[in-house]
Every structure is written in structure tokens, then in C-alpha cells.
Amino acid sequence: MAKDIITAGIDVGSISAKAALLQHDRIVATHVILTGYNSQNAGRQVFDLVLQQAGLDAGKVAKIVATGYGRNSIAFAHKAVTEITCHAAGAYFLDRRVRTIIDIGGQDSKAIALDDSGKVKDFAMNDKCAAGTGRFLEVMARALEVDLDAFGAMSLTAGQAASISSLCTVFAESEVISLIARGEQRPNIIAGIHASIASRVVSMAKRVGVRAPVMMTGGVSKNIGVVKALEEKLGANLIVSDRAQVTGAIGAAIIAVGL
Amino acid sequence: MPTYEKIIDSDKERRKIKADRRMREIMTAYYMEAKTPKEQRGKKIAWITSGGPVEPLHVMDVIPIYPENYGAMIGASKMGVDLCEKAEEMGYARDLCSYARADIASATVNGGPIGGLPEPDMLICCNNICGTVLKWYEVQARYFNVPLFILDTPITHTTFNDEMRRYVTRQSAEYIRFLEKACGRRFDYDRMAEVGALSIRAQELWQAILDTTMSKPSPMTCFDAFFHLAMIVTLRGTQTCVDYYEMLLAEMKERVAQGIGMLPVEKYRLVWDNLPIWYRLRWLSNKFMERSACLVADTYTSGWVSQMPSVSSTDFLGFMGESYARIFLNSGTDLMAENIIRMVKKYDADGVVFHSNRSCKPYSFGQYDIQKILRKKLGIPTLMIEADMVDERSFSESQIETRIDAFIEMMKK
Ligand code: SF4
């Protein structure tokens, strides 16, 4: 198919829905909204919004690929592809050197190993439990009465990260509450929370084998505290694109070019 | 917008396995006899673990009943959650194997698809499959107030030595004494030779049936094997079992000869590890079928074939202990990995699907290591599905579907 066509990728996740438009190997526009309870609507809506942003008509989009947990409910997409394959395509597009992806989203986290051509070689997912996901952070933010967006910056001011040993979200929450009761500083607790996510995610990533460079994708990559904690556990720097949250949507749009 | 092109299967009828009907008849008759009131039945009933030495029971005309097989039936009829919850109310932990939970609960309420199992006169427990069965059978021995025999089989980490051999052989003799006492009569060693020969014959036939899936296209999938397995589990050592498997083998050979595969299109060949997810057999089978992925073999159903090709059919008792001790599940991770590697090569598989089974710790424990070993030695893709064989609360449909999809996308290149 001709390279100058416009394609779209729509990534409907559990918390947010993302869309990307692509033309000529160039990202035309991206958009993010909250998914809400109706993933089908969210897909339509985010697509309309990204078109609006680009000043384009839906008719101009030649192919659409849907991804994410809501992928099969997007009736106007030409194909549904899993977020694993899409994240790989998106990450490789953003940076060809990437060999490992760590993705922490709202409801799951995953590690993806790429081969030299950017194809998925292996993957591991944590989706049975909220620990190690964005949800875990939300629960903790509530317990600490701190706005989640402030987590990253606050954790950087920590003196000594508190130790949080529970692997279960519910147990970890009560650990956090007892830390608060004991008068532990908030930044230290938050740093401890980040360290606990990092250790969980890194041990999962090691299952697929971590090859540098490692890119982090997903909404949680906006949290600098988690990024730093991951880097420390990995002993390597992470590539974090400013498009980290829309990597899956971009990947979907790339895959759409090949349809 | 279907992810996968709809496969039009005009040959669906032809693809069905004809022997299925006979299998259902035999299993129904088996449970009918067992459920006949004691006075009319005459025979005693022993509950026995799936990996337990059943042959001596047939010699003594005792009907073997398998709570695990019943657990599978409970799972397949989606009655697992109810019974598991019941067991949890009784105070059993949710971490306990769901077969154990389902059985312990069902005994108290006569629950499950056939209204509970017939009460046992004795219990035979062999710990070659796991440690859970020890406590489970102790609980049932107390509940029913019946004698319990435990056959203790050491794990073969890498090798099986003479001490282990002596240890299990001695227990085989104890087992016979236990049965003589429980049944109040002498053990018939001539009959043992006959039953032993029938058991070995059934195992050979079962393996031969499983081996037909080396053909391309594969005449059946592991989902079919999960169904036909019930016979070797419950009735090995009987003529019925041998006759049935001869019939099934003939049908499989015929399918191979005619090139009839179980899938309309077979693009990928996979090996399954761990117990089936009983309440989702059809769903899983369809998911893989729609993606043209054929699960040609599995580590579970082949577990009922003795790993000792040299087993002598004339001295069955002499080898019995060792052959039961050396089953797949009672071996170390390295041997388990070797077994899977052997299967991948034998069945020319492209990948392995692991069911990480919340219930079955001995089966699931080494899977991450085995995954690593496979990656290193074979470089083939693997998939990990987290679930439970009976307890549906541990199954997440959309997440598992995503993993299967991603796995197939990964193999496509
Ligand atoms: S733990 Fe595993 S081997 Fe033991 S009874 Fe349960 S399923 Fe069977």
C-alpha cells in the first residue's frame, strides 16, 4: 500500500483510550481520553477527537487497527491486534535501538523482548494482581491523600525509601497505613512504593531476558519516581519517549500501514 | 471485524471422533455400577489417587473410584466454584488444590454432576502426584472412618537408585497385605499377572493413540486426549479399557490414512503443559482452532504411561512401585524440561503453552525454569496462561485471550 496514506491506531485500555494518526512515517496527531465504562464509545470518541485535532475527515483514513483490552469492540477498525504486538511496533518506530520494553499501564504490566527487526520475541504479563500496575499507585495515592501526579516529584525528595515488602496490593496498603501511623515521611513512603513496583516489574522483565536499551511505555512512565526506581533495579537507563502513553496506538497505526 | 478470518468447515461432521459415544457408554456403566447400593453391588469401593497403583484393586474385585476424575467432571460441568466455596466455608484455604476442595465439600453434601461419589470402604493414596493428597485422604479417612493405605514414593530428582527401589517394592508388599485385610481374603497372584498384562497393554495402546498426532494434520488435539484419558485413569487393568483403546486407535489410524485432521486448518503445532482447564475446554479449544493452532500433545495425558519400557508383564508387582514412583510429576524440573523437549521434537511442535495452575503446585512450580530451558535449548516461543483447573474464579477471559492472541501474532512472522 502506498506510503502516503493516512492510518489510525486506536488503543482502548482499561483506564484510558488513545488514538494516533500516521502519515508518511510521521505522527500527525495523538489523543488520550478516559475510557469510562463503555469501551466502544471511548474508541469512537477518541478517534473523532484525534481527527478533529488534525483537521481531518474520517474518510481520509485508509486503514484502522484497534488494540488494547477493548480491541474487539471497535467495530469500525479493520483489524484487532494485541497491545503486545502494537507496543513493540510503536516502540521500535520511536527508537529502533530498543530491545526490551517495560510497559506499566492502568491494569497490567508487561515486559516485551524484541528481536533486531523489532518483532516480538517473547513477553510476560502481570495481570492477575494490581501490584505492579497503575492501579496499585492509585490505591496508594488514596491511602496517602496525595495527588497521584505529585508522586514522582515527591519521591525524589525522599531521604530513605521506606521498605514495603508485601506483594499484594491490599496488604501493601495496610503496610502503608501503618507507616503513616508510625510517622514515616510521605516522600519516603512513596519512594518505597515505587521501589516495590520496580522490583516486581523487573523480576517479571528478567523472565523474558532484559537486553539494553530498555524503553518504558504506558501511562505510569510519566511518574519519574517509578522510572528512577526501575533504572536502579535494572542498573540501566530507560528510554522514556514523550509519547510513552500513546506508544500502543502509534504501533497500531504502523501495523495498519501494512494491511 | 473478526480478528481471524472465519474458517468455513464443511467437513465438521467427518472430523468428529466416532468412538466418543462408546466412551460415554462405558463411563456411564462404570459410575452406575459404583453408585448401585452396596448390598446389590457386592463389590467394595476404594477411592484412589489418580497416580495410585490401581491394578491390585482389580485383582481383588474392588471398584476403584477417582475423586480427581470426579473433580474434573465437577470442573467441566462448572460446579467447581460452588463446591470450592463450600469447602472454604468449612475452613479450607483457597490456596488448597481445587480437586481437594471440591471433593471434600462434595462428600458432605453429595454435590457434583452425579450427586456425589459412592462412599468408600477404603482409601488408597499415593503421593507420587503431590503432597496435598496425603492430608486430603487423611481428612476423608476420618470423615468416612475407613482404612487408609499410603504408598510413599520418593521424588526422582535426576536418578532413581536401588534404595528407592527397595523402599517402594517393600511398600508394594504392604499394599497387598492391606488389601487382604480390608477384603478378608487372599490375594490372587495369577490374577495379578493377568491384570498387570492388561494394564501394560492399555498403556501401550494409549501411547500409540497419542502418537498418532505425530501425523500432519493431527487426527486429534490434546482436548480430545483430555476426554479419552478418563479410561486409562479409571479402568486400566481391565479388558474393557484395552478393547476401547483398540477401537480408538483403529479410528485414529484410519483418520491418519485418510488425512482427516481435527482442525480444518493446521498452521501451528503446540504442546500443552499441566492439567486441563476443565470449565473452559471448549472455549480454549475454539480459541486455538480459530487461530489454526493445533495442540497436538500434552504432558498431562501421557503421564499415565509408564516411563519404564522394560516393565515385565509377568512380574507386574515387582516393578509396580518403581513404575509409579517414576511418573513425570514425581520428577525434578530438569527431567520435566527434558520430557517437554522430547515432546516438542517428537510431535514437531512450534511452541509450548503452559497452564500455570493455581491449584497444582508440583506441576506449576518449575514452569518458569522450564520456560527458560526451552528458550535456551530450542528457541521456541512459549505462552504462560494463569488459571485453575476447577476454580473458575481464577480465570480471566479477556486477559487470557490477549495472551493467546499475542502468542499467535508472535509466531506469525
Ligand atoms: S495438587 Fe495437583 S497433583 Fe495434587 S491432587 Fe491437586 S491437581 Fe492433583
Side-chain angles (χ1 to χ4, degrees):
Chain A
M1 192 176 286
K3 274 252 172 169
D4 58 350
I5 59 151
I6 298 176
T7 60
I10 297 172
D11 177 1
V12 181
S14 61
I15 292 177
S16 58
K18 286 82 63 175
L21 291 175
L22 196 81
Q23 184 179 31
H24 271 307
D25 273 350
R26 192 177 63 83
I27 299 162
V28 180
T30 64
H31 205 86
V32 183
I33 61 168
L34 289 176
T35 304
Y37 70 93
N38 187 333
S39 58
Q40 208 173 328
N41 276 355
R44 179 87 249 174
Q45 215 184 335
V46 76
F47 182 50
D48 287 344
L49 287 169
V50 81
L51 286 171
Q52 226 174 66
Q53 193 181 319
L56 278 171
D57 201 75
K60 287 273 184 308
V61 179
K63 292 282 175 191
I64 305 168
V65 164
T67 185
Y69 280 126
R71 67 186 179 284
N72 289 319
S73 61
I74 310 302
F76 60 89
H78 297 96
K79 195 177 177 178
V81 176
T82 64
E83 51 272 35
I84 302 164
T85 305
C86 288
H87 270 272
Y92 190 71
F93 172 83
L94 293 171
D95 192 331
R96 304 229 158 224
R97 297 167 305 161
V98 173
R99 293 297 173 268
T100 310
I101 301 167
I102 289 179
D103 172 69
I104 308 185
Q107 195 149 277
D108 66 21
S109 48
K110 43 191 166 289
I112 307 168
L114 303 188
D115 66 15
D116 294 341
S117 62
K119 294 267 160 50
V120 178
K121 214 167 64 173
D122 203 352
F123 67 92
M125 279 173 93
N126 157 42
D127 51 23
K128 264 283 129 71
C129 168
T133 71
R135 208 52 106 190
F136 181 76
L137 288 170
E138 278 178 22
V139 170
M140 296 307 154
R142 232 185 5 249
L144 283 164
E145 293 176 353
V146 171
D147 188 42
L148 189 50
D149 290 331
F151 254 45
M154 263 178 104
S155 68
L156 296 185
T157 67
Q160 164 92 47
S163 134
I164 292 169
S165 50
S166 300
L167 288 178
C168 157
T169 307
V170 177
F171 290 175
E173 187 181 8
S174 55
E175 252 190 279
V176 164
I177 289 168
S178 65
L179 284 169
I180 299 171
R182 254 188 277 148
E184 181 62 88
Q185 297 291 310
R186 276 204 170 86
N188 293 354
I189 300 177
I190 297 172
I193 291 166
H194 292 163
S196 117
I197 290 192
S199 84
R200 208 183 164 105
V201 171
V202 167
S203 68
M204 176 181 67
K206 286 195 170 152
R207 271 186 2 232
V208 302
V210 177
R211 272 210 301 160
V214 184
M215 178 181 266
M216 182 173 175
T217 62
V220 175
S221 58
K222 283 190 291 193
N223 180 330
I224 182 72
V226 174
V227 174
K228 288 272 176 269
L230 279 170
E231 288 181 333
E232 198 169 305
K233 270 271 171 317
L234 281 171
N237 286 336
L238 290 179
I239 302 172
V240 183
S241 155
D242 50 4
R243 300 192 193 273
Q245 201 185 1
V246 289
T247 310
I250 293 172
I254 291 161
I255 291 169
V257 178
L259 287 187
Chain B
M1 177 233 24
T3 315
Y4 294 88
E5 281 161 48
K6 198 118 200 95
I7 294 162
I8 297 167
D9 188 5
S10 50
D11 247 3
K12 206 164 169 192
E13 269 316 300
R14 202 162 149 247
R15 251 183 266 290
K16 281 194 183 139
I17 297 175
K18 313 284 177 296
D20 283 12
R21 251 192 55 206
R22 177 77 189 120
M23 167 89 188
R24 282 179 214 278
E25 282 168 19
I26 295 171
M27 291 310 289
T28 308
Y30 158 72
Y31 275 113
M32 292 254 282
E33 182 188 22
K35 291 275 283 184
T36 307
K38 206 173 200 160
E39 312 72 53
Q40 296 165 36
R41 182 179 72 215
K43 296 180 183 172
K44 285 190 186 302
I45 283 184
W47 284 13
I48 180 168
T49 54
S50 66
V54 65
E55 293 82 358
L57 293 178
H58 288 303
V59 173
M60 290 305 239
D61 265 330
V62 172
I63 303 178
I65 287 289
Y66 289 82
E68 289 156 79
N69 175 251
Y70 194 50
M73 284 163 63
I74 289 171
S77 32
K78 302 189 199 274
M79 297 168 105
V81 174
D82 249 19
L83 288 167
C84 285
E85 280 174 351
K86 167 86 183 114
E88 288 155 27
E89 282 164 25
M90 291 163 73
Y92 291 94
R94 198 177 154 179
D95 291 316
L96 181 66
C97 162
S98 51
Y99 276 171
R101 270 178 294 155
D103 178 58
I104 290 170
S106 129
T108 65
V109 294
N110 283 332
I114 58 167
L117 289 175
E119 283 196 15
D121 298 292
M122 68 194 92
L123 300 168
I124 313 295
C125 171
C126 180
N127 63 354
N128 58 348
I129 49 172
C130 66
T132 302
V133 290
L134 289 177
K135 291 293 152 194
W136 170 7
Y137 274 61
E138 278 173 15
V139 165
Q140 297 300 47
R142 277 198 300 274
Y143 183 78
F144 291 108
N145 192 25
V146 291
L148 163 67
F149 181 79
I150 293 173
L151 186 87
D152 180 35
T153 49
I155 291 184
T156 307
H157 287 289
T158 46
T159 48
F160 193 85
N161 62 31
D162 276 340
E163 270 166 44
M164 293 153 94
R165 200 161 283 126
R166 269 198 303 279
Y167 181 64
V168 293
T169 309
R170 215 175 298 140
Q171 290 181 73
S172 297
E174 280 171 30
Y175 180 28
I176 302 305
R177 282 199 298 280
F178 170 90
L179 289 179
E180 287 182 327
K181 195 163 161 231
C183 300
R185 60 188 169 90
R186 312 279 311 158
F187 190 77
D188 181 344
Y189 289 88
D190 293 334
R191 179 93 198 283
M192 181 69 247
E194 287 165 28
V195 170
L198 285 170
S199 171
I200 290 168
R201 179 74 190 124
Q203 293 176 44
E204 287 165 357
L205 284 164
W206 180 234
Q207 187 62 58
I209 291 163
L210 296 177
D211 283 352
T212 59
T213 63
M214 286 193 284
S215 307
K216 294 179 189 174
S218 176
M220 66 171 193
T221 70
C222 76
F223 298 104
D224 302 298
F226 293 155
F227 174 71
H228 295 280
L229 168 77
M231 192 77 70
I232 189 93
V233 176
T234 55
L235 292 172
R236 65 182 179 278
T238 66
Q239 189 64 45
T240 314
C241 180
V242 167
D243 291 346
Y244 176 73
Y245 280 150
E246 270 171 355
M247 171 177 147
L248 181 60
L249 178 61
E251 184 177 346
M252 286 303 143
K253 284 188 169 160
E254 182 57 28
R255 287 167 75 91
V256 170
Q258 294 192 25
I260 304 175
M262 188 41 88
L263 265 58
V265 183
E266 179 182 305
K267 268 196 223 155
Y268 315 103
R269 293 166 65 85
L270 305 172
V271 170
W272 174 275
D273 182 55
N274 212 310
L275 275 75
I277 302 173
W278 292 112
Y279 47 89
R280 283 304 180 116
L281 282 185
R282 181 176 305 237
W283 186 86
L284 278 167
S285 154
N286 284 341
K287 285 290 157 218
F288 283 104
M289 188 179 297
E290 282 161 17
R291 288 148 183 77
S292 306
C294 184
L295 284 143
V296 291
D298 69 281
T299 57
Y300 181 61
T301 53
S302 50
W304 275 268
V305 179
S306 169
Q307 299 300 307
M308 297 171 56
S310 59
V311 168
S312 146
S313 46
T314 50
D315 182 21
F316 189 85
L317 268 190
F319 288 91
M320 190 178 75
E322 176 171 357
S323 112
Y324 277 101
R326 292 179 66 177
I327 64 164
F328 169 73
L329 205 46
N330 203 35
S331 62
T333 302
D334 293 313
L335 292 178
M336 285 189 174
E338 260 172 45
N339 183 46
I340 298 184
I341 289 172
R342 207 170 31 241
M343 292 184 92
V344 166
K345 289 184 179 156
K346 178 173 177 182
Y347 297 99
D348 195 17
D350 309 298
V352 178
V353 181
F354 290 92
H355 165 206
S356 170
N357 184 349
R358 191 177 163 88
S359 268
C360 192
K361 283 81 181 173
Y363 219 141
S364 310
F365 182 65
Q367 282 175 320
Y368 284 148
D369 287 315
I370 295 173
Q371 219 182 1
K372 252 189 218 153
I373 296 172
L374 289 188
R375 197 179 300 136
K376 209 165 108 199
K377 294 204 170 158
L378 298 176
I380 56 167
T382 57
L383 169 68
M384 191 67 73
I385 292 177
E386 281 153 21
D388 185 282
M389 69 226 170
V390 166
D391 191 343
E392 283 184 72
R393 292 170 296 177
S394 296
F395 188 91
S396 162
E397 182 175 303
S398 71
Q399 296 172 347
I400 289 177
E401 187 166 10
T402 297
R403 291 186 192 204
I404 295 174
D405 278 345
F407 180 64
I408 301 290
E409 285 166 6
M410 189 164 99
M411 295 213 298
K412 254 185 198 163
K413 60 189 169 187

